[in-house]
Amino acid sequence: MKFEPQQYRIPDVSMQPFIDEEEIHDILRQAIPEKERVKAIIAKSLDKQRLSLEETAVLLNATDPEMIGWIRQGARQLKERVYGKRIVLFAPLYVGNYCSNNCRYCGFKASNKSAIRKTLNTDELIANVKALEEHGQKRLILVFGEHRTYSAEFIAETVKLVYSVKKDHGEIRRVNINAAPFDIEGFKTIGESGIGTYQIFQETYHRPTYKICHPSGKKADYDYRLTALDRAMEGGIDDVGIGALFGLYDWRFEVLALLRHVNHLEACYNVGPHTISFPRIQDALDYDLDDQYQVSDEEFTRLVAILRLAVPYTGLILTAREPEHIRREVLAYGCSQIDAGTKLEIGAYAENPEVDQNLTKEQFKINDDRTLNQVIDELIENDYIPSFCTACYRKGRTGQHFMEFSVPGFIKKFCTPNALFTLAEYIIDYATPETAAKGWRLVDQSIDEIEDESYRNKVRDRVERIKNGERDLYF
Ligand code: SAM
Ligand code: SF4
């Protein structure tokens, strides 16, 4: 059967499942990576156009090293041309690891009797948020197991509490969430607490694999999870993040399914996801899957480059699951956000900051355990501008990533100066002397590069105000 581009067998109806496995397999089977076609598809992406599933499948099927080189180079070019040098930083904060599901890859699964279970109480939560603020974090993602304890009301109260915690110049300016799916009412409650992005990963879009990986608990319901973000949208949360856990099933299938999810949200709600995550399976306590679909480093970095080209205006999130050298490479392909200073052990930011990972208290193993300052230092060394900017979210400029990409001059006018303001705050309040020296050089040089003189002076003036003690300045 031959497909017309973007004609789906399952139509995009809100709240209805939209993944047709056979369709995705057919698209993959029919995509032939001829050189001229591959070049044309990359050129289309560099022209800032979204790729269709068929076009993306052509890139996914390319195995010729020369073509793979073009794909990687294309992603690098797109990043340089469009996004510039900013990398947004955040930290995950695990609030509780009680869970009634049995995801076979996860250390928090209910059947794992060696897991040490805990939910942060109010004092512990405050202590952890303060500890994060003391390092300079401004953006958090709160992570929860799936358990009746973590109701929508509990999550909403937790969010409000996190926003209320201040330490010296420290404050959390954006709280994102990664938690179980809710009904529309639940999403309303959570949305009203002022969250940034609601993130939920389908893990695998392949139904038979999903069934194997999620044998019991509420998460065993594939469709309820697949339609979670439809309910979030209906409940008023229009800033959402999707993701697939790479290593459960064929990575090519998952990339196309992620795009299918993007298309579904755009078709039904006129807004795509703010971010896509692509966690790769890591070791965990009681890990219970074979490695048939393991994704190699080469495949992983390639799939990120392909995702970048396929959805040029969607944020890509890379986490500390990946080791330093992979993070470095993948950053060049246009990831927009990374975590840093990450600790997964519940309560560890306040209690055990120096202690190594203990998998009885953690969901999985991470491979980049550098401090926030170390990561910032390396970013600056590599000519990136670390950013804690939260301006768009607080100014109500929704669809931020889309605007960055599509509104001419948006990055120059808003994103770069705002990144510099948050970097200046970080340098003054938290950086080591060596990082501070490098940081100021970068700030000064970046200001000098602003072409418009009056704008350049405005930015310089604000940095001076920050040096004089003002905080939280943004355009
Ligand atoms: N309980 C919530 C849920 O399942 O949606 C929160 C999810 S969990 C705390 C965040 C994500 O971590 C999961 O969605 C999954 O993709 C990922 N994850 C779980 N086990 C993992 C492992 N062994 N290696 C890497 N990522 C893992
Ligand atoms: Fe529970 Fe989430 Fe882990 Fe599944 S991935 S066992 S739902 S914490």
Side-chain angles (χ1 to χ4, degrees):
M1 169 170 188
K2 181 96 187 115
F3 285 97
E4 290 306 314
Q6 310 287 1
Q7 298 293 309
Y8 304 118
R9 283 203 290 241
I10 298 184
D12 284 295
V13 177
S14 65
M15 317 287 260
Q16 294 300 319
F18 49 86
I19 294 285
D20 178 336
E21 277 137 36
E22 263 323 293
E23 179 176 59
I24 292 178
H25 282 305
D26 281 348
I27 292 173
L28 276 169
R29 267 193 295 271
Q30 290 174 21
I32 299 168
E34 287 152 354
K35 286 193 174 178
E36 289 313 309
R37 179 114 169 90
V38 169
K39 276 191 197 162
I41 291 169
I42 296 172
K44 180 178 174 187
S45 173
L46 288 174
D47 192 35
K48 300 188 183 186
Q49 294 182 57
R50 267 272 301 284
L51 301 183
S52 67
L53 265 69
E54 290 78 2
E55 289 161 338
T56 307
V58 170
L59 302 186
L60 290 168
N61 282 348
T63 50
D64 176 88
E66 189 182 19
M67 289 191 230
I68 294 175
W70 297 337
I71 290 170
R72 292 181 187 278
Q73 186 52 25
R76 268 191 218 106
Q77 260 176 291
L78 190 66
K79 186 221 160 22
E80 277 160 23
R81 273 198 211 168
V82 177
Y83 292 109
K85 303 193 290 186
R86 289 159 312 117
I87 301 290
V88 171
L89 293 162
F90 69 95
L93 173 56
Y94 277 71
V95 178
N97 67 348
Y98 285 89
C99 194
S100 46
N101 291 322
N102 269 307
C103 310
R104 289 177 59 183
Y105 43 80
C106 177
F108 290 169
K109 66 167 87 77
S111 64
N112 180 6
K113 299 298 173 216
S114 5
I116 298 171
R117 308 277 168 181
K118 183 174 173 66
T119 302
L120 295 178
N121 64 31
T122 302
D123 289 343
E124 290 164 338
L125 186 72
I126 292 172
N128 277 275
V129 175
K130 283 188 177 165
L132 285 155
E133 290 176 353
E134 278 167 6
H135 285 103
Q137 302 280 5
K138 295 281 187 282
R139 305 168 57 107
L140 299 185
I141 180 154
L142 304 186
V143 188
F144 302 82
E146 181 162 344
H147 193 263
R148 58 182 186 283
T149 316
Y150 314 128
S151 62
E153 290 72 22
F154 177 88
I155 293 178
E157 287 311 310
T158 308
V159 171
K160 289 186 215 158
L161 182 59
V162 169
Y163 278 128
S164 73
V165 177
K166 317 265 177 195
K167 178 86 202 290
D168 304 322
H169 280 307
E171 61 181 350
I172 300 304
R173 297 176 184 159
R174 180 172 172 124
V175 178
N176 299 333
I177 297 292
N178 184 318
F182 285 91
D183 59 14
I184 295 175
E185 278 310 306
F187 277 122
K188 266 189 199 153
T189 304
I190 293 171
E192 283 160 9
S193 69
I195 61 163
T197 307
Y198 195 90
Q199 203 186 63
I200 180 168
F201 306 153
Q202 185 62 21
E203 320 296 11
T204 171
Y205 287 88
H206 186 250
R207 227 173 250 274
T209 306
Y210 189 93
K211 200 162 182 238
I212 294 168
C213 295
H214 307 99
S216 60
K218 278 192 183 169
K219 195 164 163 181
D221 187 340
Y222 174 102
D223 287 342
Y224 191 70
R225 195 164 179 95
L226 189 68
T227 51
L229 293 178
D230 291 64
R231 294 190 299 282
M233 293 277 183
E234 300 284 345
I237 299 178
D238 65 357
D239 186 332
V240 299
I242 63 172
L245 181 55
F246 283 88
L248 299 180
Y249 186 59
D250 176 13
W251 60 271
R252 293 177 175 84
F253 178 96
E254 305 291 11
V255 169
L256 281 196
L258 282 167
L259 296 192
R260 189 66 190 82
H261 203 161
V262 173
N263 291 345
H264 171 75
L265 293 173
E266 284 187 350
C268 294
Y269 304 99
N270 215 12
V271 47
H274 184 162
T275 56
I276 299 182
S277 299
F278 32 85
R280 185 163 56 150
I281 279 277
Q282 306 297 327
D283 198 15
L285 199 69
D286 206 22
Y287 182 86
D288 176 26
L289 283 170
D290 60 33
D291 54 6
Q292 185 189 356
Y293 291 107
Q294 214 173 31
V295 180
S296 70
D297 288 353
E298 193 282 324
E299 290 165 333
F300 181 74
T301 52
R302 178 154 40 117
L303 82 82
V304 179
I306 294 173
L307 266 177
R308 174 71 300 151
L309 292 170
V311 281
Y313 50 76
T314 306
L316 296 183
I317 301 185
L318 171 70
T319 69
R321 289 173 181 86
E322 297 301 330
E324 280 176 51
H325 68 283
I326 299 284
R327 300 242 276 179
R328 219 167 285 136
E329 174 168 359
V330 169
L331 274 184
Y333 298 150
C335 285
S336 40
Q337 294 186 32
I338 60 169
D339 57 339
T342 297
K343 298 226 164 276
L344 299 195
E345 181 180 328
I346 304 203
Y349 291 114
E351 282 166 24
N352 293 329
E354 307 305 331
V355 172
D356 287 344
Q357 276 198 270
N358 171 356
L359 289 186
T360 58
K361 297 181 183 168
E362 303 186 30
Q363 196 184 13
F364 49 81
K365 190 172 174 323
I366 58 168
N367 291 295
D368 184 353
D369 60 0
R370 288 175 296 167
T371 64
L372 176 61
N373 196 86
Q374 285 169 326
V375 172
I376 287 185
D377 194 276
E378 185 190 283
L379 289 174
I380 295 172
E381 282 277 333
N382 293 329
D383 208 27
Y384 290 106
I385 306 178
S387 174
F388 294 96
C389 180
T390 52
C392 284
Y393 150 74
R394 289 153 83 218
K395 286 240 175 192
R397 291 193 293 251
T398 52
Q400 169 205 343
H401 210 79
F402 178 74
M403 285 193 282
E404 287 174 26
F405 182 77
S406 58
V407 177
F410 190 91
I411 293 182
K412 278 191 187 158
K413 193 161 170 215
F414 296 107
C415 308
T416 306
N418 288 338
L420 294 174
F421 301 149
T422 59
L423 176 59
E425 289 181 340
Y426 177 82
I427 294 171
I428 296 168
D429 295 335
Y430 310 103
T432 60
E434 302 81 58
T435 307
K438 291 179 204 171
W440 284 129
R441 276 200 295 279
L442 178 66
V443 172
D444 291 340
Q445 177 200 323
S446 306
I447 295 177
D448 288 344
E449 284 169 10
I450 299 174
E451 286 154 23
D452 181 288
E453 190 185 341
S454 84
Y455 209 64
R456 188 165 63 236
N457 290 337
K458 265 192 199 164
V459 174
R460 198 168 274 137
D461 173 60
R462 289 198 182 208
V463 170
E464 283 309 309
R465 283 166 57 191
I466 292 168
K467 285 183 182 168
N468 291 329
E470 279 188 70
R471 290 292 175 271
D472 204 14
L473 303 177
Y474 51 87
F475 292 131

